[in-house]
Amino acid sequence: MPFDLAARLAARRAENLYRQRPLLESPQGPEVVVDGQPLLAFCNNDYLGLANHPQVIEAWREGAARWGVGGGASHLVIGHSGPHHALEEALAELTGRPRALLFTTGYMANLGAVTALVGQGDTVLEDRLNHASLIDGGLLSGARFNRYLHNDARSLAQRLEKAVGNTLVVTDGVFSMDGDVADLPALAREAKAKGAWLMVDDAHGFGTLGASGGGVVEHFGLSQEDVPVLVGTLGKAFGTAGAFVAGSEELIESLVQFARPYIYTTSQPPALACATLKSLELLRSEDWRREHLQRLIRQFRQGAEQIGLQLMDSFTPIQPILVGDAGRAMQLSRMLRERGLMVTAIRPPTVPAGGARLRVTLTAAHSEAQVQLLLEALAECFVQLGPEPSHA
Ligand SMILES: *Cc1c(COP(=O)(O)O)cnc(C)c1O
């Protein structure tokens, strides 16, 4: 019996690591219906509340009427249509880069960019806590692959000493499971000193950080020389789907020629690009969304500290509560659910062993009263669960 899948699944269950998909029966938003139950949710990445915005929906509808619903072919054959092109130009403007290239997902953008830029004889250095798609891109590239300590420019510098060939340094802008922000000025300094390129995946920063939503690069005021390869995704603050890489003319042309996840896939539906153009406009013009979100983040952190929860070093909408044990994290998530709240427990292997947590995400669509409800429920659940039993 070569494939003993049942045993693998049973082992997963025994470790409290078995994953299940909640069934969403409503549009995305703070108030959802999941598996038949109305819930107040703090777990989506729709940070600006645009995924169900009437103007974005209308842009999609009009786009479908004008362009149809399917991309029809890959970009290089005959799938590169007007809305894709217009969106790329708008994203280049948002990022202040000469060009941007649209991908169907962030996973593909990361796989495509890393594998197009480095290969055998080169080096890729990644933060230990990078998103899985960046790690997978590094492994697939065939370059020498090494991880540096989380957000540690000195650890990076040590590894840069031993780097060979073209060297790509890769980091999340905002770390997706911790919510902390990469120390980009320091990482960029080290990379530049060694002639390496810095690639930043700012999936969670675009729309939420920077005065005009330009993300972590705008937050730090960094240039294209500091961050030659800049990735953003469209399924989070933009509220739609897809991703982009922004950079120089030569970078984008190289991706068009060599990034296999770009070349060998059907373009996203053009109507989706129409919707994203509208959400980009809202993301840039409606500053109140970012301001309201910042207020909620401050409210949540102050309240959580008062009740003694273990927060992480984050000023972003990702506000995890460290629990430690995977079973306890699951238990807390279940207890919140019984009170009508949905907060996801994140367990290994998504986070390191012993690092299970409740991953609270706040969005501009939440109200202060809803955050207050969450804080009250958390206080009750932690008291009810009692202190963690000490380990022998
Ligand atoms: C969500 C995410 C991705 C993947 O983007 P998709 O468009 O959902 O495939 C990549 N990187 C980071 C840091 C992410 O959080």
Side-chain angles (χ1 to χ4, degrees), residues 61-151:
R61 209 192 302 276
E62 284 171 11
R66 164 89 165 79
W67 297 93
V69 292
S74 66
H75 283 273
L76 288 170
V77 177
I78 193 175
H80 186 66
S81 61
H84 297 132
H85 204 72
L87 179 56
E88 289 183 343
E89 287 177 345
L91 290 167
E93 208 225 314
L94 171 75
T95 54
R97 308 290 153 116
R99 281 185 69 186
L101 189 71
L102 196 56
F103 282 75
T104 44
T105 72
Y107 193 104
M108 290 299 160
N110 285 336
L111 221 55
V114 176
T115 57
L117 291 173
V118 288
Q120 266 185 10
D122 297 326
T123 304
V124 59
L125 301 175
E126 301 211 15
D127 189 290
R128 285 184 55 183
L129 299 189
N130 271 356
H131 189 265
S133 56
L134 295 171
I135 303 287
D136 292 355
L139 294 171
L140 185 65
S141 70
R144 284 195 197 180
F145 177 84
N146 219 316
R147 299 186 200 203
Y148 56 89
L149 296 178
H150 176 51
N151 211 1

Coordinates of all heavy atoms in Angstrom, one line a residue, residues 61-151:
R61 N -19.4 44.8 -12.9 CA -20.5 44.6 -13.8 C -20.4 45.2 -15.1 O -20.6 44.6 -16.2 CB -21.8 45.1 -13.1 CG -23.1 44.4 -13.4 CD -24.3 45.3 -12.9 NE -24.3 45.6 -11.5 CZ -24.7 44.8 -10.5 NH1 -25.2 43.6 -10.8 NH2 -24.7 45.1 -9.3
E62 N -20.0 46.5 -15.1 CA -19.8 47.2 -16.4 C -18.6 46.6 -17.2 O -18.7 46.5 -18.4 CB -19.5 48.7 -16.1 CG -20.7 49.5 -15.8 CD -20.4 50.9 -15.3 OE1 -19.2 51.3 -15.5 OE2 -21.3 51.5 -14.7
G63 N -17.6 46.2 -16.5 CA -16.5 45.6 -17.2 C -16.9 44.3 -17.8 O -16.4 44.0 -19.0
A64 N -17.7 43.5 -17.2 CA -18.1 42.2 -17.7 C -19.0 42.5 -19.0 O -18.9 41.7 -20.0 CB -18.9 41.4 -16.7
A65 N -19.8 43.5 -18.9 CA -20.7 43.8 -20.0 C -19.9 44.2 -21.2 O -20.2 43.9 -22.4 CB -21.7 44.9 -19.6
R66 N -18.8 44.9 -21.0 CA -18.0 45.5 -22.1 C -16.9 44.5 -22.6 O -16.7 44.4 -23.8 CB -17.3 46.8 -21.6 CG -16.1 47.3 -22.4 CD -16.6 48.2 -23.4 NE -15.4 49.0 -24.0 CZ -14.6 48.5 -24.9 NH1 -14.7 47.3 -25.3 NH2 -13.6 49.3 -25.3
W67 N -16.3 43.7 -21.7 CA -15.2 42.8 -22.0 C -15.4 41.3 -21.9 O -14.5 40.5 -22.1 CB -14.0 43.2 -21.1 CG -13.5 44.6 -21.3 CD1 -13.9 45.7 -20.6 CD2 -12.6 45.1 -22.3 NE1 -13.3 46.8 -21.1 CE2 -12.5 46.5 -22.1 CE3 -11.8 44.5 -23.3 CZ2 -11.6 47.3 -22.9 CZ3 -11.0 45.3 -24.1 CH2 -10.9 46.7 -23.9
G68 N -16.6 41.0 -21.4 CA -16.9 39.5 -21.2 C -16.3 39.1 -19.8 O -15.7 39.9 -19.1
V69 N -16.4 37.8 -19.6 CA -16.0 37.3 -18.2 C -14.6 36.6 -18.2 O -14.1 36.4 -17.1 CB -17.1 36.5 -17.6 CG1 -18.3 37.3 -17.2 CG2 -17.4 35.3 -18.4
G70 N -14.1 36.2 -19.3 CA -12.9 35.4 -19.3 C -11.7 36.1 -20.0 O -11.9 36.8 -21.0
G71 N -10.5 35.9 -19.5 CA -9.3 36.4 -20.1 C -9.0 35.8 -21.5 O -8.5 36.4 -22.4
G72 N -9.4 34.5 -21.6 CA -9.4 33.8 -22.9 C -8.1 33.3 -23.4 O -8.1 32.4 -24.2
A73 N -7.0 33.8 -22.9 CA -5.6 33.3 -23.3 C -4.6 33.9 -22.4 O -4.9 34.7 -21.6 CB -5.3 33.7 -24.8
S74 N -3.4 33.4 -22.5 CA -2.3 34.0 -21.7 C -2.0 35.4 -22.3 O -2.4 35.8 -23.4 CB -1.0 33.2 -21.8 OG -0.5 33.2 -23.1
H75 N -1.3 36.2 -21.5 CA -1.0 37.6 -21.9 C -0.2 37.7 -23.2 O -0.4 38.5 -24.0 CB -0.2 38.3 -20.8 CG -1.0 38.8 -19.6 ND1 -1.7 40.0 -19.6 CD2 -1.3 38.2 -18.5 CE1 -2.3 40.1 -18.5 NE2 -2.1 39.0 -17.7
L76 N 0.7 36.7 -23.4 CA 1.6 36.8 -24.6 C 0.9 36.3 -25.8 O 1.4 36.5 -26.9 CB 2.9 36.0 -24.3 CG 3.8 36.7 -23.3 CD1 4.9 35.8 -22.9 CD2 4.3 38.0 -23.9
V77 N -0.3 35.6 -25.7 CA -1.0 35.1 -26.9 C -2.0 36.2 -27.3 O -1.6 37.1 -28.1 CB -1.6 33.7 -26.6 CG1 -2.4 33.3 -27.9 CG2 -0.5 32.7 -26.4
I78 N -3.2 36.2 -26.7 CA -4.1 37.3 -27.0 C -4.9 37.6 -25.8 O -6.1 38.1 -25.9 CB -4.9 37.0 -28.3 CG1 -5.6 38.2 -28.8 CG2 -5.9 35.8 -28.0 CD1 -6.3 38.1 -30.1
G79 N -4.4 37.4 -24.6 CA -5.1 37.6 -23.4 C -4.8 38.9 -22.7 O -5.4 39.2 -21.6
H80 N -4.0 39.8 -23.3 CA -3.6 41.1 -22.6 C -4.5 42.1 -23.1 O -4.3 42.7 -24.2 CB -2.1 41.4 -22.9 CG -1.6 42.6 -22.2 ND1 -1.5 42.6 -20.8 CD2 -1.2 43.8 -22.6 CE1 -1.0 43.8 -20.5 NE2 -0.9 44.5 -21.5
S81 N -5.5 42.5 -22.3 CA -6.6 43.4 -22.9 C -6.4 44.8 -22.2 O -5.7 45.0 -21.3 CB -8.0 42.8 -22.7 OG -8.2 42.6 -21.3
G82 N -7.2 45.7 -22.8 CA -7.2 47.1 -22.4 C -7.2 47.3 -20.9 O -6.4 48.1 -20.3
P83 N -8.2 46.7 -20.1 CA -8.2 47.0 -18.7 C -7.0 46.5 -18.0 O -6.5 47.1 -17.0 CB -9.5 46.2 -18.2 CG -10.3 46.1 -19.4 CD -9.4 46.0 -20.6
H84 N -6.4 45.3 -18.4 CA -5.1 44.9 -17.8 C -4.1 45.9 -17.9 O -3.3 46.2 -17.0 CB -4.6 43.6 -18.5 CG -5.5 42.4 -18.3 ND1 -5.9 41.6 -19.4 CD2 -6.2 41.9 -17.3 CE1 -6.7 40.6 -19.0 NE2 -6.9 40.8 -17.7
H85 N -4.0 46.5 -19.2 CA -2.9 47.4 -19.5 C -3.1 48.7 -18.6 O -2.2 49.3 -18.1 CB -2.9 47.7 -21.0 CG -1.6 48.2 -21.4 ND1 -0.5 47.4 -21.5 CD2 -1.2 49.5 -21.8 CE1 0.6 48.1 -21.9 NE2 0.2 49.4 -22.1
A86 N -4.4 49.2 -18.6 CA -4.7 50.4 -17.8 C -4.4 50.2 -16.3 O -3.8 51.1 -15.7 CB -6.2 50.8 -18.0
L87 N -4.7 49.0 -15.8 CA -4.4 48.7 -14.4 C -2.9 48.7 -14.2 O -2.4 49.2 -13.2 CB -5.0 47.4 -14.0 CG -4.8 46.9 -12.5 CD1 -5.2 48.0 -11.5 CD2 -5.5 45.6 -12.3
E88 N -2.1 48.1 -15.1 CA -0.7 48.1 -14.9 C -0.1 49.6 -14.9 O 0.7 49.9 -14.0 CB 0.0 47.4 -16.0 CG -0.2 45.9 -15.9 CD 0.5 45.0 -17.0 OE1 0.9 45.6 -18.0 OE2 0.6 43.8 -16.8
E89 N -0.7 50.4 -15.7 CA -0.2 51.8 -15.7 C -0.6 52.5 -14.4 O 0.2 53.3 -13.8 CB -0.8 52.6 -16.9 CG 0.0 52.1 -18.2 CD -0.6 52.7 -19.5 OE1 -1.7 53.3 -19.5 OE2 0.1 52.6 -20.5
A90 N -1.8 52.2 -13.9 CA -2.2 52.9 -12.6 C -1.3 52.3 -11.4 O -1.0 53.1 -10.5 CB -3.7 52.6 -12.4
L91 N -1.0 51.1 -11.5 CA -0.2 50.5 -10.4 C 1.3 51.0 -10.5 O 1.9 51.2 -9.4 CB -0.2 49.0 -10.5 CG -1.5 48.3 -10.1 CD1 -1.5 46.8 -10.5 CD2 -1.8 48.5 -8.6
A92 N 1.8 51.3 -11.7 CA 3.1 51.9 -11.8 C 3.1 53.3 -11.2 O 4.0 53.7 -10.5 CB 3.5 51.9 -13.3
E93 N 2.0 54.0 -11.4 CA 1.9 55.3 -10.9 C 1.8 55.3 -9.3 O 2.4 56.0 -8.6 CB 0.6 56.0 -11.4 CG 0.8 57.5 -11.5 CD -0.5 58.2 -11.0 OE1 -1.6 57.8 -11.4 OE2 -0.3 59.1 -10.2
L94 N 1.0 54.3 -8.8 CA 0.8 54.2 -7.4 C 2.2 53.9 -6.7 O 2.5 54.5 -5.6 CB -0.1 53.0 -7.0 CG -0.2 52.6 -5.5 CD1 -1.0 53.6 -4.7 CD2 -0.7 51.2 -5.4
T95 N 3.0 53.1 -7.3 CA 4.3 52.7 -6.7 C 5.4 53.7 -7.1 O 6.5 53.5 -6.6 CB 4.7 51.3 -7.2 OG1 4.7 51.3 -8.6 CG2 3.7 50.3 -6.7
G96 N 5.2 54.6 -8.0 CA 6.2 55.5 -8.5 C 7.3 54.8 -9.2 O 8.5 55.2 -9.3
R97 N 7.0 53.7 -9.9 CA 8.0 52.9 -10.7 C 7.6 53.0 -12.2 O 6.5 53.3 -12.5 CB 7.9 51.4 -10.3 CG 8.0 51.1 -8.8 CD 9.4 51.4 -8.3 NE 9.4 51.8 -6.9 CZ 10.0 51.1 -6.0 NH1 10.7 50.0 -6.3 NH2 10.0 51.5 -4.7
P98 N 8.6 52.9 -13.0 CA 8.4 53.0 -14.5 C 7.3 52.1 -14.9 O 6.5 52.4 -15.8 CB 9.7 52.7 -15.1 CG 10.7 53.0 -14.1 CD 10.1 52.7 -12.7
R99 N 7.3 50.8 -14.4 CA 6.3 49.9 -14.9 C 5.8 48.9 -13.8 O 6.5 48.7 -12.8 CB 6.9 49.0 -16.1 CG 6.9 49.8 -17.4 CD 7.3 48.9 -18.5 NE 6.4 47.9 -18.9 CZ 6.7 46.9 -19.8 NH1 7.8 46.9 -20.4 NH2 5.8 46.0 -20.1
A100 N 4.7 48.3 -14.1 CA 4.2 47.2 -13.2 C 3.6 46.1 -14.1 O 3.2 46.4 -15.2 CB 3.1 47.8 -12.3
L101 N 3.7 44.9 -13.6 CA 3.2 43.7 -14.4 C 2.2 43.0 -13.5 O 2.4 42.7 -12.4 CB 4.4 42.8 -14.7 CG 4.1 41.7 -15.7 CD1 3.9 42.2 -17.1 CD2 5.3 40.7 -15.7
L102 N 1.1 42.7 -14.2 CA -0.1 42.1 -13.5 C 0.1 40.5 -13.5 O 0.4 40.0 -14.6 CB -1.3 42.5 -14.2 CG -2.7 42.3 -13.6 CD1 -2.8 43.0 -12.2 CD2 -3.8 42.9 -14.5
F103 N -0.1 39.9 -12.4 CA -0.1 38.5 -12.2 C -1.5 38.0 -11.8 O -2.2 38.8 -11.2 CB 0.9 38.0 -11.2 CG 2.4 38.0 -11.8 CD1 3.1 39.1 -11.9 CD2 3.0 36.8 -12.1 CE1 4.4 39.1 -12.4 CE2 4.3 36.7 -12.6 CZ 5.0 37.9 -12.7
T104 N -1.8 36.7 -11.9 CA -3.1 36.3 -11.5 C -3.3 36.1 -10.0 O -4.4 36.3 -9.5 CB -3.5 34.9 -12.2 OG1 -2.4 34.1 -12.1 CG2 -3.9 35.1 -13.6
T105 N -2.2 35.8 -9.3 CA -2.2 35.7 -7.8 C -0.9 36.2 -7.3 O 0.1 36.1 -8.0 CB -2.5 34.3 -7.3 OG1 -1.3 33.5 -7.5 CG2 -3.7 33.6 -7.9
G106 N -0.9 36.5 -6.0 CA 0.4 36.8 -5.3 C 1.3 35.6 -5.3 O 2.6 35.8 -5.4
Y107 N 0.8 34.5 -5.1 CA 1.6 33.3 -5.1 C 2.4 33.2 -6.4 O 3.6 32.9 -6.4 CB 0.7 32.0 -4.9 CG 1.5 30.8 -4.5 CD1 1.5 30.3 -3.2 CD2 2.2 30.1 -5.5 CE1 2.2 29.2 -2.9 CE2 2.9 29.0 -5.1 CZ 2.9 28.5 -3.9 OH 3.6 27.4 -3.5
M108 N 1.7 33.4 -7.5 CA 2.4 33.3 -8.8 C 3.3 34.4 -9.0 O 4.4 34.2 -9.7 CB 1.3 33.3 -9.9 CG 0.5 32.0 -9.9 SD 1.5 30.6 -10.3 CE 0.5 29.3 -9.7
A109 N 3.0 35.6 -8.6 CA 3.9 36.7 -8.8 C 5.3 36.5 -8.1 O 6.3 36.7 -8.6 CB 3.3 38.0 -8.2
N110 N 5.2 35.9 -6.8 CA 6.4 35.6 -6.1 C 7.2 34.5 -6.7 O 8.4 34.6 -6.9 CB 6.0 35.3 -4.6 CG 5.7 36.6 -3.9 OD1 6.1 37.7 -4.2 ND2 4.9 36.4 -2.8
L111 N 6.5 33.4 -7.1 CA 7.2 32.3 -7.7 C 7.8 32.8 -9.0 O 9.0 32.5 -9.3 CB 6.1 31.3 -8.0 CG 6.4 29.8 -7.8 CD1 6.9 29.5 -6.4 CD2 5.2 28.9 -8.2
G112 N 7.1 33.6 -9.8 CA 7.6 34.1 -11.1 C 8.8 35.0 -10.9 O 9.8 34.9 -11.6
A113 N 8.7 36.0 -10.0 CA 9.8 36.9 -9.9 C 11.1 36.3 -9.4 O 12.1 36.5 -10.0 CB 9.4 38.1 -9.0
V114 N 11.0 35.5 -8.4 CA 12.2 34.9 -7.8 C 12.8 34.0 -8.8 O 14.1 34.0 -9.1 CB 11.9 34.1 -6.5 CG1 13.2 33.5 -6.0 CG2 11.4 35.1 -5.4
T115 N 12.0 33.1 -9.5 CA 12.7 32.1 -10.4 C 13.2 32.8 -11.7 O 14.1 32.3 -12.3 CB 11.7 31.0 -10.8 OG1 10.5 31.6 -11.3 CG2 11.3 30.2 -9.5
A116 N 12.6 33.9 -12.0 CA 13.1 34.6 -13.2 C 14.4 35.4 -12.9 O 15.2 35.6 -13.9 CB 12.0 35.6 -13.7
L117 N 14.6 35.7 -11.7 CA 15.8 36.6 -11.4 C 17.0 35.8 -10.9 O 18.1 36.3 -11.2 CB 15.4 37.6 -10.3 CG 14.4 38.7 -10.8 CD1 14.0 39.5 -9.6 CD2 15.0 39.5 -11.9
V118 N 16.8 34.7 -10.3 CA 18.0 33.9 -9.9 C 17.9 32.4 -10.2 O 16.7 31.9 -10.4 CB 18.3 34.0 -8.3 CG1 18.8 35.4 -7.9 CG2 17.0 33.6 -7.5
G119 N 19.0 31.8 -10.4 CA 19.0 30.3 -10.8 C 20.3 29.7 -10.3 O 21.0 30.3 -9.4
Q120 N 20.7 28.6 -10.9 CA 21.9 27.9 -10.5 C 23.1 28.9 -10.5 O 23.2 29.6 -11.4 CB 22.2 26.7 -11.4 CG 21.6 25.5 -10.8 CD 21.9 24.2 -11.6 OE1 22.8 24.3 -12.5 NE2 21.3 23.1 -11.3
G121 N 23.9 28.8 -9.5 CA 25.1 29.7 -9.4 C 24.8 31.0 -8.7 O 25.7 31.8 -8.5
D122 N 23.5 31.3 -8.4 CA 23.2 32.5 -7.7 C 22.8 32.2 -6.3 O 22.8 31.1 -5.8 CB 22.0 33.2 -8.4 CG 22.3 33.6 -9.9 OD1 23.4 34.0 -10.1 OD2 21.4 33.5 -10.7
T123 N 22.4 33.3 -5.6 CA 22.0 33.1 -4.2 C 20.7 33.8 -3.9 O 20.5 35.0 -4.4 CB 23.1 33.8 -3.3 OG1 24.4 33.2 -3.6 CG2 22.8 33.6 -1.8
V124 N 19.9 33.2 -3.1 CA 18.7 33.9 -2.6 C 18.6 33.8 -1.1 O 18.8 32.7 -0.5 CB 17.4 33.3 -3.3 CG1 17.2 31.8 -3.0 CG2 16.1 34.1 -2.8
L125 N 18.5 35.0 -0.4 CA 18.5 35.0 1.0 C 17.1 35.5 1.5 O 16.7 36.6 1.0 CB 19.6 36.0 1.5 CG 21.0 35.6 1.1 CD1 22.0 36.7 1.5 CD2 21.4 34.3 1.7
E126 N 16.5 34.8 2.4 CA 15.1 35.1 2.8 C 15.0 35.2 4.3 O 15.6 34.4 5.0 CB 14.1 34.0 2.2 CG 14.2 33.9 0.7 CD 12.8 33.5 0.1 OE1 11.8 33.6 0.8 OE2 12.8 33.1 -1.0
D127 N 14.1 36.1 4.7 CA 13.7 36.1 6.1 C 13.0 34.8 6.5 O 12.3 34.2 5.7 CB 12.7 37.3 6.3 CG 12.4 37.5 7.8 OD1 11.7 36.7 8.5 OD2 12.8 38.6 8.3
R128 N 13.4 34.3 7.7 CA 12.8 33.0 8.1 C 11.3 33.0 8.1 O 10.7 31.9 8.0 CB 13.3 32.7 9.6 CG 14.7 32.3 9.7 CD 15.0 32.0 11.1 NE 14.1 31.0 11.6 CZ 14.1 30.5 12.8 NH1 14.9 31.0 13.7 NH2 13.2 29.6 13.2
L129 N 10.7 34.2 8.3 CA 9.2 34.2 8.5 C 8.5 34.6 7.2 O 7.3 35.0 7.2 CB 8.8 35.1 9.6 CG 9.3 34.7 11.0 CD1 8.6 35.5 12.1 CD2 9.0 33.2 11.3
N130 N 9.2 34.6 6.1 CA 8.6 35.0 4.8 C 7.4 34.1 4.5 O 7.3 32.9 4.8 CB 9.6 34.9 3.6 CG 10.4 36.1 3.5 OD1 10.2 37.1 4.1 ND2 11.4 36.1 2.5
H131 N 6.5 34.7 3.7 CA 5.3 34.0 3.2 C 5.8 32.7 2.4 O 6.8 32.7 1.7 CB 4.5 34.9 2.3 CG 3.2 34.4 1.8 ND1 3.0 33.7 0.7 CD2 2.0 34.4 2.5 CE1 1.7 33.3 0.6 NE2 1.1 33.7 1.7
A132 N 5.0 31.7 2.5 CA 5.3 30.4 1.8 C 5.6 30.6 0.3 O 6.5 29.9 -0.2 CB 4.1 29.4 2.0
S133 N 4.9 31.5 -0.4 CA 5.2 31.6 -1.8 C 6.6 32.1 -2.1 O 7.2 31.8 -3.1 CB 4.1 32.6 -2.4 OG 4.2 33.8 -1.7
L134 N 7.1 32.9 -1.2 CA 8.5 33.4 -1.4 C 9.5 32.3 -1.1 O 10.5 32.2 -1.8 CB 8.8 34.6 -0.4 CG 7.9 35.9 -0.7 CD1 8.1 36.8 0.5 CD2 8.3 36.5 -2.0
I135 N 9.2 31.5 -0.1 CA 10.1 30.4 0.2 C 10.1 29.4 -0.9 O 11.1 28.9 -1.4 CB 9.6 29.7 1.5 CG1 9.6 30.7 2.7 CG2 10.4 28.5 1.9 CD1 10.9 31.1 3.3
D136 N 8.9 29.1 -1.4 CA 8.8 28.1 -2.5 C 9.5 28.6 -3.7 O 10.1 27.9 -4.4 CB 7.3 27.9 -2.8 CG 6.6 27.1 -1.7 OD1 7.2 26.7 -0.7 OD2 5.3 27.0 -1.8
G137 N 9.4 29.9 -4.0 CA 10.1 30.5 -5.2 C 11.6 30.3 -5.0 O 12.3 30.0 -6.0
G138 N 12.1 30.6 -3.8 CA 13.5 30.4 -3.6 C 14.0 29.0 -3.8 O 15.0 28.8 -4.4
L139 N 13.2 28.1 -3.3 CA 13.6 26.6 -3.4 C 13.5 26.2 -4.9 O 14.4 25.5 -5.3 CB 12.6 25.8 -2.5 CG 12.8 26.0 -1.0 CD1 11.7 25.3 -0.3 CD2 14.2 25.5 -0.5
L140 N 12.5 26.6 -5.6 CA 12.3 26.2 -7.0 C 13.3 26.8 -7.9 O 13.6 26.3 -8.9 CB 10.9 26.7 -7.4 CG 10.4 26.2 -8.8 CD1 10.2 24.7 -8.8 CD2 9.0 26.9 -9.1
S141 N 13.9 28.0 -7.5 CA 14.8 28.7 -8.4 C 16.1 27.9 -8.7 O 16.7 28.2 -9.8 CB 15.2 30.1 -7.8 OG 16.0 29.9 -6.7
G142 N 16.5 27.0 -7.8 CA 17.8 26.3 -8.1 C 19.0 27.1 -7.6 O 20.1 26.7 -7.6
A143 N 18.7 28.4 -7.1 CA 19.8 29.2 -6.5 C 20.2 28.6 -5.1 O 19.4 27.9 -4.5 CB 19.4 30.6 -6.4
R144 N 21.3 29.0 -4.6 CA 21.7 28.7 -3.2 C 20.7 29.4 -2.3 O 20.5 30.6 -2.5 CB 23.0 29.2 -2.9 CG 24.1 28.3 -3.4 CD 25.4 28.7 -2.7 NE 26.5 28.2 -3.4 CZ 27.8 28.4 -3.1 NH1 28.0 29.1 -1.9 NH2 28.8 27.9 -3.8
F145 N 20.1 28.7 -1.4 CA 18.9 29.2 -0.6 C 19.3 29.2 0.8 O 19.8 28.2 1.4 CB 17.7 28.3 -0.9 CG 16.5 28.7 -0.1 CD1 15.7 29.7 -0.6 CD2 16.2 28.1 1.1 CE1 14.5 30.1 0.2 CE2 15.1 28.5 1.9 CZ 14.3 29.5 1.4
N146 N 19.2 30.4 1.4 CA 19.5 30.5 2.9 C 18.5 31.5 3.5 O 18.1 32.5 2.9 CB 20.9 31.1 2.9 CG 21.7 30.4 4.1 OD1 21.2 30.3 5.2 ND2 22.9 30.1 3.8
R147 N 18.2 31.2 4.8 CA 17.3 32.1 5.5 C 18.1 32.8 6.6 O 19.0 32.2 7.2 CB 16.2 31.2 6.3 CG 15.4 30.4 5.3 CD 14.3 29.8 6.1 NE 13.7 28.7 5.4 CZ 12.5 28.2 5.6 NH1 11.7 28.8 6.5 NH2 12.0 27.2 4.9
Y148 N 17.8 34.1 6.8 CA 18.4 34.9 7.8 C 17.4 35.0 9.0 O 16.2 34.8 8.8 CB 18.9 36.2 7.4 CG 17.9 37.1 6.7 CD1 17.2 38.0 7.4 CD2 17.8 37.1 5.3 CE1 16.3 38.9 6.8 CE2 16.9 38.0 4.7 CZ 16.1 38.8 5.4 OH 15.2 39.7 4.8
L149 N 17.9 35.4 10.2 CA 17.0 35.5 11.3 C 16.0 36.6 11.1 O 16.3 37.6 10.4 CB 17.9 35.9 12.6 CG 18.9 34.8 13.0 CD1 19.7 35.3 14.2 CD2 18.2 33.5 13.4
H150 N 14.8 36.4 11.7 CA 13.7 37.3 11.4 C 14.0 38.8 11.6 O 14.4 39.2 12.6 CB 12.5 36.9 12.3 CG 11.4 37.8 12.1 ND1 10.8 38.1 10.9 CD2 10.6 38.6 13.0 CE1 9.8 39.0 11.0 NE2 9.7 39.3 12.3
N151 N 13.9 39.5 10.5 CA 14.0 41.0 10.5 C 15.4 41.4 11.1 O 15.4 42.5 11.7 CB 12.8 41.6 11.2 CG 12.5 42.9 10.7 OD1 13.1 43.4 9.7 ND2 11.5 43.6 11.3

